[in-house]
Amino acid sequence: MTPYLHKLYPALEASLPHLALGPRPTPVRRLDALDSAGAEIWLKDDGAFGDGGWGGNKVRKLEWLLPDALRLHRTTIVTVGGLGTNWGLATALYGREHGVKTVLALVDQPEDEHVRKQLERLRASGAELHFTHTPLRTRLAAPWLIARHFSGRRPPYLLPAGGSSPIGALGYVEAALELAAQIRAGELPEPSHIVTPLGSGGTVVGLALGLRLAELPTRVVGVVVNDTLSLTHSTLTRLARRTTRLLRDRGAPLPSDDVLAPTADLDIVTEWLGPGYGRPTPEADTAQTLTADREHLTLEPVYTAKAMAALLDMNARGHFTPGPVLYLNTNGPR
C-alpha cells in the first residue's frame, strides 16, 4: 500500500523511501466502558502495528528510519534507551530482519517485572548492549561507540532515544494522515483531542504536523512520562520545524513554518509523571487495571498507563467536552 505521505506529495516517493513493516490502518473503536463521565472516548490501537517481533509506535518510525539507513549504506544503528526500552527492542528486531545491527547504550531505570522481561528480550534480540547507567556517561561514551562501529569510512547510523529524529517523526505524520482517512470513511468521529504518552517527542510532533497537513483542527495532548530528556514546547517546536524542513527539502510544497506551526495545537501535561521515568504511580496502576478489566486493553506502567490516567482524570473534569477524545495506544508487546 502506498503511504499516505507519498500520495499527498508524490515527489517524496523518490526522495523519502518507505519500508512497510505492519498492517494498516490500525483499528479504532469506542471505549464505551470508560466514558461514563465527560466526552466519548475512542481508541486508535497502534499496539496492533508491526508484523515482526515487536509492535507499537516505534515500528511506525522504523518504517522511515530503516530505509534511510539502507539508502546511506549504513550497516549499524547506534542508539540509546532505558533498560526496558521498547524502542531499542523494536530497532534490534526489525533491523536484524533487514541486515542492520543495533548497538544500544542503556540508561538505568527502576527495575520491575516489566523491565526484567524486557531486558531478557533485549539480550535475545542480537543487539550489542552497553550499560552506560546515566545520561552523562552515555554522552561521554557516544564518541567511542560511534568510532568503534564505523564500517570502512561509513559511520554508524546514529539515532536519538525513541527514534525521535525528523525522519522518525514521519511515522506519525503518516499515522495522522491514516487517521484522517478513517475519519473520512466514517470509522470514527473527528476527535477534538488526541491523548498519547510523551516520552521522546517524535510521536506527538509527527501527529501534530500530520493533523495540520490533513487540515484537521484536533489538538494533541502529550502526557510527559520521561524526565531524562528535554520535552519542553520549545524543544518539540524545533523538532517540528526540522521535520517540516526535511519534507520541504525532499520536495513537499509546504507553507512556511510560521503558517504551518503544528505545535500550536500541542498541549504538554506534566502532572502524571510521578516520581520519575519508569516509576509507578497509583493513578497509572488504577488506569491499567481499569482498561484491562473493562475494555480488554493491555497497557504498561511506564508510558501508556500514565497517559490513560491523565485522560480519565481530565475527561472527568470536563477538559475534553464536548469531545470526542481519542486515546492513541502505543504499547505493542508480542
Side-chain angles (χ1 to χ4, degrees), residues 95-106:
R96 185 175 65 186
E97 288 181 10
H98 295 278
V100 178
K101 177 183 176 181
T102 298
V103 177
L104 292 174
L106 296 177

Side-chain angles (χ1 to χ4, degrees), residues 12-31:
L12 297 178
E13 187 170 359
S15 60
L16 273 174
H18 175 263
L19 177 64
L21 298 176
R24 67 205 68 220
T26 53
V28 292
R29 62 182 172 96
R30 183 174 171 181
L31 300 179

